[in-house]
Amino acid sequence: MSTEPTNDLKPLNIAILTVSDTRGLDEDSSGQFLEDSVVEAGHQLISRRILPDDVYLVRAAMSLWIADQDIHVIIITGGTGFSERDSTPEAVAPLLDKNIEGFGEEFRRLSALEIGSSTIQSRAFGGLANHTAIFCLPGSTGACRTGWNGILNTQLDSRHGPCNFSALVGRKPERAVERLQQVIGKRATR
């Protein structure tokens, strides 16, 4: 589906999730690169989290963000490879309403120019869920740079033509996500 470009940037609300068993905020250069890029592009960073590579923790966080009407885009870095703990595709794919096949294809095409045939070991992918665009990138800062500079920077820019994702992600239905978070928060403290 095509979205006509506009003359003015329509800033999007973006959440960033780093999936890693070993990184903390100080070591998360990929998440920091994405945060800096999002803000520099004129968008608003709504949330940034780091979670271990655990299917159910990632799925729970994603479910809340997908339901939150204030979050338009989710960018995930990490967990897209083939090691035993890499489980981002398994966590996120069941939540998607539609796949964005072209995202993974284009990411691997661009990545091949940089790392050659090693790009086949990337399971980068994208999709839509509840009018939220979701993009899953490998955990390296270089891969995040490739994904942002080669695809996301323009596809999240309402001025980019002939099409972009900005209008598609602005039509989320209102839900009482705050109430759900209050209930979950109360249970988590018991």
Side-chain angles (χ1 to χ4, degrees), residues 1-10 12 72-73 98 100 128 131 133 135 154-171:
M1 173 179 271
S2 138
T3 305
E4 293 296 320
T6 63
N7 292 329
D8 298 317
L9 175 69
K10 293 182 181 176
L12 299 174
H72 303 125
V73 177
K98 294 181 187 271
I100 305 171
L128 296 170
H131 300 280
F135 302 98
T154 55
Q155 282 300 299
L156 299 179
D157 189 328
S158 57
R159 301 167 295 190
H160 178 73
C163 58
N164 60 71
F165 284 102
S166 67
L168 289 174
V169 298
R171 298 184 271 171

Side-chain angles (χ1 to χ4, degrees), residues 27 33 58 66 70 90 95 97-99 106 120 126 134 140 142 155 163-164 167 169:
E27 299 83 23
F33 169 81
V58 170
I66 289 167
D70 292 329
E90 291 74 20
L95 303 175
D97 299 326
K98 294 181 187 271
N99 293 321
E106 180 65 359
I120 67 167
I134 301 165
S140 75
Q155 282 300 299
C163 58
N164 60 71
V169 298

Side-chain angles (χ1 to χ4, degrees), residues 6 8-16 33-47 70-75 133 135 148 151-160 164-167 169:
T6 63
D8 298 317
L9 175 69
K10 293 182 181 176
L12 299 174
N13 296 334
I14 300 177
I16 297 170
F33 169 81
L34 290 170
E35 177 179 339
D36 294 344
S37 298
V38 161
V39 172
E40 184 179 309
H43 301 296
Q44 185 168 357
L45 181 71
I46 295 296
S47 184
D70 292 329
I71 296 177
H72 303 125
V73 177
I74 301 167
I75 305 172
F135 302 98
W148 179 265
I151 307 169
L152 296 177
N153 190 31
T154 55
Q155 282 300 299
L156 299 179
D157 189 328
S158 57
R159 301 167 295 190
H160 178 73
N164 60 71
F165 284 102
S166 67
V169 298

Side-chain angles (χ1 to χ4, degrees), residues 57-154:
L57 292 177
V58 170
R59 203 174 282 166
M62 292 294 297
S63 294
L64 284 174
W65 282 353
I66 289 167
D68 188 332
Q69 76 179 57
D70 292 329
I71 296 177
H72 303 125
V73 177
I74 301 167
I75 305 172
I76 303 171
T77 175
T80 61
F82 284 97
S83 76
E84 188 174 316
R85 294 280 300 159
D86 288 332
S87 60
T88 297
E90 291 74 20
V92 177
L95 303 175
L96 299 178
D97 299 326
K98 294 181 187 271
N99 293 321
I100 305 171
E101 284 86 358
F103 176 77
E105 294 166 358
E106 180 65 359
F107 175 82
R108 282 181 284 281
R109 185 190 70 79
L110 293 170
S111 179
L113 299 172
E114 299 169 7
I115 63 170
S117 66
S118 294
T119 194
I120 67 167
Q121 292 192 32
S122 167
R123 297 189 296 155
F125 70 101
L128 296 170
N130 189 38
H131 300 280
T132 306
I134 301 165
F135 302 98
C136 301
L137 295 165
S140 75
T141 305
C144 289
R145 190 174 292 111
T146 298
W148 179 265
N149 292 338
I151 307 169
L152 296 177
N153 190 31
T154 55

